[in-house]
Structures are given as C-alpha cells and as structure tokens.
Amino acid sequence: MARIQAASVSNQVVHRRKRKAPGKDPISVEAQPATSDGAESATTVPTKTHDGGKKPRRTKKSEKPALLRRDSSNTFVESSIPWPEHFKKLAQLHRALNLVYTFCCSRKHLATTFDTIKSAVEGHIKRPLLIEDVAQVKTLVPKAINFSYVDEDMLQVTIMGEEDGVKGGRAEHFRSLREDENYIETQKSGESREFLLFEFIDGDLKRQVQHPKTGEPTKATQKLRNEELKMPVYSQKQMLGLIEKRNKKFTSAVNEFLNQCAKEAIEPVLKITSEEREFIPQPTSSRSGTPAPEQSKGPPKKIPKERQSISEIVREITEMEWYTHQIVPDGHRVFDPQPPVYGELNFPLSQNLVNALYNTRSITQLYSHQAEAINNLHDGHNVIVSTSTSSGKSLIYQIPMLNALEKDPDSRGMYIFPTKALAQDQRRSLKEILKYMPGLENVITETFDGDTPMQERNEIRDEGRIIFTNPDMLHITILPQEGSWRTFLKNLKYVVVDELHVYNGLFGAHVAFIMRRLRRICAALGNRHVKFISCSATVANPEEHMKTVFGVEKVRVTDFDGSPSGRKEFVCWNTPFKDPEDPTSGRGDTFAETARLLCQLILRGVRVIAFCRVRKQCEVLIGAVRTEFNNLERPECSALVVGYRGGYSPQDRRRIEQEMFAGKLMGIVATTALELGVDIGSLDAVISMGFPYTIANLRQQSGRAGRRNKDSLSVLVGDCFATDQHYMSNPDEIFTKPNCELQVDLTNELVIEGHVQCAAYEMPIKPDEDEKFFGKLLREVAESRLTYDSLGFYHCHERFRPQPSKCVSIRDTEDGHFAVVDITHGRNVVLEEVEPSRAFFTVYEGGIFLHQGRTYLVKEFSPERRIARVTLVKIDWTTQQRDYTDIDPIETESIRRVSPTSLSRAFFGAIKIHIVVFGFFKLDQKRRILDAVAVDNPPVDIFAKGMWLDVPRSALEILNARRLNLAAGIHAAEHSILSLMPNYVISMPGDVRTECKVALKEFAKKPSQRKRPARLTFYDAKGGAGGSGIAAKAFEFIDLLLRRACERVGQCHCTEGCVECICDERCKEKNMVMSKAGAEVILRSLLGWEIDVEALPWGPEDESVQVGIETVVEAAEVRGRGGRNVEVREWEGEEGRVKREKGDEEMIVIKDEPED
C-alpha cells in the first residue's frame, strides 16, 4: 500500500536529556528581534523546476529558545546617566497612570477615558495632568500605550453592577453609553461625541472569581454556572505583578532614551518635548485644520482603478508606521513569471466552436496541456489533468462536450463538482460559449442540486444536455431514480469530476462506489463507452487515484503546465507581539492584524480573498474589517467586502456569487467553500488567516490569486498557535514539502455494504456479473446481507427500504436544521440555517450571533421548534460558549494484546461523545471577559465506534514521581498515534478523532470535580453509531501504530514537541496541553519497553508544561454488553498484517471497462 508522505522525521537519535544539576539556574537567552534585512529581503524562486531539498533542521532549545516564554522578559537597558528632574516627573506620572489604569481594568464597566482617570492620577502626582505630559510618556513607550480620540460608539460597554441586570449570573438588561442623559442632549444637537481614550496595550489581567469561603480572588475553574457572579475580580498579586512589569519597561525605555541622547549629544528634555507633538491626539473635528506630523506614505484617498505592482504595494506597506517586521526571516519568496507553451490538436474543430472560443475568451491557441488532454480524450482514453490552479483546465472538458453536441445533439454530459459554488461558476462559463454557437444557443445546461426547484427538475432531467451536479445528488436522486433517467444515461458521453483531490479517504471511498454504480447502470443500458475526465492541482499520485475512484484502466495523465503565469510573491506574515519589543506580552490580535493588511491592500486597488479555518472566524474577521475601515475614516469601503461560507441561504449565496462574478467586490472573507477552483473574477491577493491544516490546502488557497496572468500576492498570517509558529520559524517547509498521496479504501465493509444495498435497489445484483464493479467481497456481502430470489438475483434488504440511499450518508450531512430568523423591526427573514451539531454551540438566549460581520442578539431559542429569533444590535462585545466534551467508551466488543512484551490491551467498541454547553462568556473587543452567563441547554449525546487503550498504572506512577502533567502526556500520545493512522489505514486527517485536553481545565489551581480516566481514546468522526470502519482497521494495527509512534517521538530532534511528533494541525485546543516526555513514557509503558526514569525532565522546571491540580485518574475497564467479559485475542505477530499493509491489490480494485 502506498503510504501518505507525512511530516518527515530525522533519523538522527537525539541524546536523552539528563536531570539538571541542583543549584544551576537555567540559561536565559533573550530572543532577538528580526533584522530589517532578514525580514524584508525577498528570495526569488524559479518555477516549474524541482524545488526539493533538505528539510531545515531545528536547533535545540538551549541554542535557540522559543520567542514566547512565560517566565522571560525583554532585555533591561542600564544607564549611568543621572535622570533629569523632568524624567523623574514623567516616571512618577507613568506609575500613577499604570496604577489607576490597572485598577480600572478590574472594574470593566469603567472606560479609561482621559476625563475618567484625570482626577485619580492628579491625586498621585500632586499637579495638573496635561495631555502633553501623557504624550511624552507615550513617546518613550509608543507600542505599550494607546492614547487617541475614539467615537462614543466605540466605548459601548455592558453595565453590570451589583444589582443592575445580573441575577445569579444571568444578565437581563444591556445598556450602553447611548442611554446616558448627556447623550440624549448631544443627539438633539446632531453632534457625534468623541472621547480621549487612554489604554495600556501590552498585557491584560486574567479574570478570577471570589473564593466562596475566604472571599479572596482565585482562578475561575469549574462550575461557574453555580456561582453568584457579579463582577470579575483579580488578585492583588496579579495586579502588582503587571504594574511592576510596566514600570520596569518604562525605566528601561528612559535609560535607552538618555543613552541615545548622550550618543547624539542632544539635550534629552528638548528632544522629548520636540517629539511629543507626534503623539498628541487630535479629535476628528480639528484634524482637517491641524497640520499632522509627517508620516509614511499611506493608501490613496480613492481606490485606484489601476493598481501599482505587487512589489511596490508590499514595499509601501512595510514602510508604514505600524509595520514592525511582521515578515519573518526568509519568509518572502518571489516566483518568476512563466511564458505560455502552446500545443496542437490532432483533429479539427468546427468553425462555430473556434469562433465561440475567440468571442468569449479571445482564444486562438490551446496551451500544451489542454491540447494533450483533449487529444487523449479523442483517442478514447480517460484523462486526469494535474496542473496548477487557474491553468485553464475547464476547457479540457468543455471543448470535447461541445464537439460531441455538434455531432450528436442527443449527447449528454454530467459535470460533478464538490461544491454548489463551483457548479454555478462552470454553468455560467459554459452558457457564455453556447451563446455564440449557432444551433446550440438554446441547449439546456442547468445545475441539478439541492437548491434546484422541484418544478424544474423534470425538464432538466428530460431535456437537459449538460447537468451540473454533485456526488450527493447522484447518490440520493439520480441513481435511485434510474428509470426516469435512462434516456440521459443511455446518451451519456462524458462524466467530469473536478477537484479530484477532494475525493480522498472515507468520502473518496463513497464516491468511488457511486461511480461504479453509475458505470453499472450505463453498461446495462448499452452505454459502455462513457469517458471520465478529472482535474486537480494538488494530487501527488493522479493516475493511481483516478483509477481507484473510477475503476478504469485506460488513463492518461497530463501534468506539464503550459499556461502562462504572472510574477507571484509569497509572504509569511507573523502576528506581532502586543509590544513588539517584549515577547512576554504575547501575540496580538490576529483578526485585527489580518483586517489591517486586507484593508491596506483594498485601498490600493488590490482585489483580495481572505480564508479562515472555521465559520465563526469568518464572521469575526468581517467585523474586524469594518472596524479597521472606520478607524481609517473610510467606512464606505466596508460595503465592498462580504463573507461567503456554509450556512447562508441559497438566495444569499446566489446573490454573493453574482456580485463576485461581476467584479463588484474588492474583498471576500471565506471559509474553504471558495478554496476550490471557482472563478470569482480577477483576484490579486490571497490572505490565509492561520495555517489551513495541510500544505495542500495552503497551496490550493494560494493558487486562487493571479488567475489573469498578472502579478499576485499570497500571504500566510501566522496565529499564536504552535502549528502556525512552526511554519513561521521554518518557512522553507511551505515550499519544499511534497503534497500527500491520496488514498481510497475499497475494502471498507461498511461502505461496501451500503452501496451494494443501493445498487441492488437500482437493479438486482448478480455477483458473477457485477463483481467487476464491486470487487471480490461482493459475493460474501450479497449472500449475507441481501435478499435472494429464485432466479438467482439479489435484492436490497428490507431494513434499507424504501430509500436505501438515505441510509448511506456519504458526507455525514445532517437533517433538521435550525432556522435563524431576523425579527428586527418585524422583518421575519431567515438569515441562515444551522446544523443541529452546531446549533447549541452558536445559538443560545442572550448570546451574540454573527452574520456577515453584523451582531445579532438571540432573543428566543426553541430547540423543539428548531428556530432562533434574533435582533440586530450595535454593540462592541460578543459571546463565546462555555462547554465541555467527554468521550468515553460504553461497551467493549473486542480486546487484543498490543505486544508480546506487555500485558497492556487495546479495546474496540461503542463510544459516547457527551457534549454540554452550560454557559457563555461576554467578551470585549480585546477578548477580555466581561461576564459569565449560565444557560440551561440539554446535553448532546453522539454515539460512534472507536478504540481505546488504558494507561498502565506504572506509567502514572512515573509521571507523578517526576511531576509531569498526566493530561499533557496522554494528549501528546494520542496525537502521535493519530498522525500515523493514514500510514496504516487508508484515511484522511480528521476521519478519526480523539479527546483534546483543555488548558483552562488542566492548568487550573483549583480541584476539578470532572476527573477524566487515564485513557487514549480514538473514534470514527463519521458514520454515526455504526462508525465508518476506520477505527476498526486501526485497531488491527495498534501494535504497529504504538511502536512507530514511540520511535517517532523518541527520534524527533525537537525538545518539547512539534508537528512532526506530537502536535496536530487539527487540534481544536491548539496543542496547548502537550508533554513530549509524558507521551514517550506512556507509549513505552504500553509496549512494555524499558523507561530510563533518570533521563526524564523534572517537572515544569525542565519542561515548559504547567502543572495544575491533577484531573486524571486511573481508568476502569469497560466491559462488554450486559457486563459480560470479552475474550482477549493474543498478540498474533506482524507477518499477516504487514503483508496486508503493503498489498495494493487488496486495497485498490481496478477493472477494465466492460466491452461490447
């Protein structure tokens, strides 16, 4: 079996770490900021050549520590120069501002305006507080302080007093500054009020609660829903620590300033008074008449129709005042433009078709890959085209289909796309060509998907010549109703399956059997010459994958790209620290950073698409873009940016798609729904906010820009999480790692049975004749699972009737969606529909629902009626659900030993995923907690199949003795096994999941009532209670998985864990709770291997994993159904299973097309 190319592992054995000698302090090496040269220099990369090379090796922690360390601080600058009296007064002022502001932060209902803090600060400094003095303080620490005028709307807060609107943790009334009496007077006068805001932006207090007995502040941990929450509280120790940190930073800044003045022979007081002018804030009303200090060149006042070159735009942005070397060293690559390479067809096209191609797309010649693929189709081969994104692949299946229609008007074509947006795009493109072809102008070419009105479906089926559909409609509607579709299927000439890389793993197995069902029905109707055309830009094994999915042999691969490409720049843009000179301040707001970059590009005439990983991020980013445009005093530009994601109504989707196609938009914020090859107009730039799980996904997103051969830009914005920072530190891997090979398992018995039942319903099965479509397992499945008749045919079993296709979910789509209805001003308009699995996480009374970046307050939520009523509100806070998930086995079905040297056993059986949403946090714009509110939602229980391993008691004793975090070790061990599953079981990342540990719980200092068993658990993410069969196959290989994981963790050259050993790009808890040493102890103990205890780190002193109150207890064995014991299978050795792992003939069923 061909293995997926996973992240490579160094073969060098790293020497085991020894226990540190007592009394020696760890060496603290301060992180150096990236140099200007390293960050801004661009590397030119020639394209269309081999870009391989040795993977850059990371250095050990002692040689190059991580930039972000909890216990580190920025370098303190000393000075022997005596402080002038003026600077002593500034230091006194800074201490007063620091003290008053920190106190106000513990009272979230106080906005720290200049007027609010003025009297308190004056009480400390014993003199009037002047704006000029505060500006001088900001001059010394410009990145640590925000001192500016903001509109009144920006200061809206939630009023949460002891008795005002908060009862038992439930907020009942929300009020903003708009309700103040002063505002009413201002509103009458028609003026907009502005406030002078003062903030420290280099750190924040972490919310705590009062201890029920002592009344002292303590960390918020469990059961907040039972607490009488009034206001967030903070410990004196935490407040004093933050105050001292800022004071130390200011002292260092003064010393540095004085040293610089002495070096330049300038009087310090004169210099700071001359520089203060730049930091004196100006209200909007007076800015037009007040000369502003000279600043770097900003964006044009009007969006230009013709933009500058990408290189000039990037240079302009890096010269702006807020740029602090976000481009990481070696993270700016330039790919040279490529000229076109043309080819010739072996047969002539009609003049009408030639004219149509010229009139619609100005095409006079075909690129070499287009000509090669069309020639192969004409010669009777199936074709797979694996060239770059936007290389003109759609013409490869449009020209043969149009040529066939000219010769035979009854010809049919079926274009299958994984998304509705892609189908709409291709339909529009083909209709344009047909307009210019005499005799074919009125040919019906329509989409046939879930959004197609029922009254139109019969006409499309009977009269349509080309339909645009998806695998779901083919499975659920077309094939089960083959009697009505016989005319269409009998005349079917071409089946196009675009974006073939989507059909991988379990979904790929389903689609492979759907294609075999289609071929079987066509063959029965006498149509044995259907040709299959497939395209993809990111497939490592295109020929093998196409043969597997379609079950055909005559496949020709076209992989040389003859299309031209413009100059392309790729930038790794890391979110800066809150204070760029202080790594301990933590990474800033990635949403704000992405929004700022996106807005700057749009204002310079660059058309941008920004990709987010999940739906909520999409909505939050749209809101951040609106805020940024308002800050830039360009609010009218907000209308040029829209969101596009799953969940929107069909009407909204069609409207947004039309605006995209027409080029009316400058910016799109999308999830992966637009990651595929949809032509949404001429895009100049792509921004990926956060690493999108895989290198292939990143390359797919990056290819969305530059579709018109112009120069383009692709930006990866690094988030604060481990995976993002790995690629920010090692940008070379983005360009050198190969795409993964795609794999489809056609021996998954659950998938086979489901589709054999569907096939038997469509047409009775005869194993001898149908084995060529469904493989050698067909007879066994038919005899044991189907109904046999006296004529020798097998029929669908009664338990799958009357609609067997409804019993076989190919994508785990959900029924019974929740409608979110906007009732603002009596509108009663459905905003979107939310899947049941998402509903309780996104919709709850009192919560904020985001749609197109706008905030809606949930007024009513009715689970019984599956409806939520929301109203539009203008607020500056949002909500985040508070939930927990327990994943536990409930019934054992099979047990096997994992090693001849160990007594440990692996278990397989039923798994219950228990999800409880018990409340939500209210968060301000800086993600600070304003309040915690309880909700009373029913728990959600989901059942699946999975396997699990109980951690041996000996491992728990070792980890406890060395003060290593048990949960972190379990979490890391789970990830190490999970990442290796595709090597032994054909699957995709995400097909099998585990229970990820939450940092808030595991690092808490207060005991938790929710103890979790010391267990490694893995379950099928798809397939429902019956599972998908992937975990069951992994169970058979558990000994090999454990051994390989243990070797991989031990040999990896990192010191604290990385994406090559224990970190997972898909971890929903961002790999926060991880212990590499703990994982190795657990894996070795499961295998019964020797553990060198003295080589292990000694608690948090040696390993950067916090130790909280223990939340893990020894696991109790789960028995079989009815409490019975399950027989243990002894270790069987490796021979048989290794052979199965390597035997491609058992994994891939390939058959010739049936001949006449």
Side-chain angles (χ1 to χ4, degrees), residues 481-500:
Q481 299 174 13
E482 55 85 24
S484 304
W485 284 84
R486 286 184 179 177
T487 301
F488 188 97
L489 297 176
K490 189 174 183 178
N491 293 285
L492 185 62
K493 294 290 193 298
Y494 294 105
V495 174
V496 177
V497 179
D498 204 358
E499 307 295 345
L500 191 65

Side-chain angles (χ1 to χ4, degrees), residues 244-257:
E244 180 59 32
K245 175 184 173 182
R246 289 180 181 142
N247 288 341
K248 182 180 177 183
K249 186 185 299 184
F250 184 79
T251 301
S252 177
V254 172
N255 287 339
E256 186 176 9
F257 186 84

Side-chain angles (χ1 to χ4, degrees), residues 878-1008:
T878 185
T879 54
Q880 175 181 305
Q881 87 281 357
R882 305 179 58 230
D883 61 88
Y884 65 84
T885 301
D886 287 342
I887 300 167
D888 293 303
I890 55 175
E891 182 181 291
T892 299
E893 297 174 8
S894 181
I895 306 175
R896 64 189 304 265
R897 288 268 303 278
V898 300
S899 166
T901 60
S902 170
L903 296 177
S904 296
R905 298 171 296 172
F907 303 83
F908 177 83
I911 301 280
K912 182 171 82 169
I913 300 99
H914 181 71
I915 307 168
V916 178
V917 179
F918 57 86
F920 60 88
F921 284 129
K922 293 181 191 169
L923 307 174
D924 66 8
Q925 284 190 320
K926 292 187 177 180
R927 310 296 291 170
R928 296 178 299 195
I929 296 173
L930 297 171
D931 190 20
V933 180
V935 297
D936 188 21
N937 282 343
V940 178
D941 289 332
I942 302 171
F943 296 91
K945 294 290 186 182
M947 67 168 182
W948 62 94
L949 300 109
D950 294 339
V951 178
R953 183 180 300 172
S954 60
L956 301 181
E957 292 171 351
I958 292 172
L959 294 173
N960 283 323
R962 302 297 290 190
R963 296 175 57 239
L964 297 175
N965 192 302
L966 298 184
I970 291 171
H971 192 194
E974 288 173 327
H975 278 188
S976 66
I977 295 173
L978 205 60
S979 65
L980 287 169
M981 279 191 188
N983 291 25
Y984 295 91
V985 181
I986 295 179
S987 61
M988 289 175 61
D991 282 347
V992 177
R993 296 178 185 166
T994 188
E995 179 179 320
C996 292
K997 304 298 184 183
V998 184
L1000 181 66
K1001 175 176 183 285
E1002 306 304 339
F1003 298 153
K1005 301 301 181 184
K1006 182 180 177 181
S1008 170

Side-chain angles (χ1 to χ4, degrees), residues 1004-1046:
K1005 301 301 181 184
K1006 182 180 177 181
S1008 170
Q1009 300 298 317
R1010 195 173 129 253
K1011 302 289 187 182
R1012 301 297 298 138
R1015 178 180 288 137
L1016 279 57
T1017 310
F1018 310 91
Y1019 66 96
D1020 288 324
K1022 302 172 184 176
S1028 63
I1030 296 175
K1033 287 205 169 190
F1035 174 71
E1036 298 299 322
F1037 288 96
I1038 188 60
D1039 54 334
L1040 296 177
L1041 281 167
L1042 283 171
R1043 286 175 51 192
R1044 184 70 187 94
C1046 190

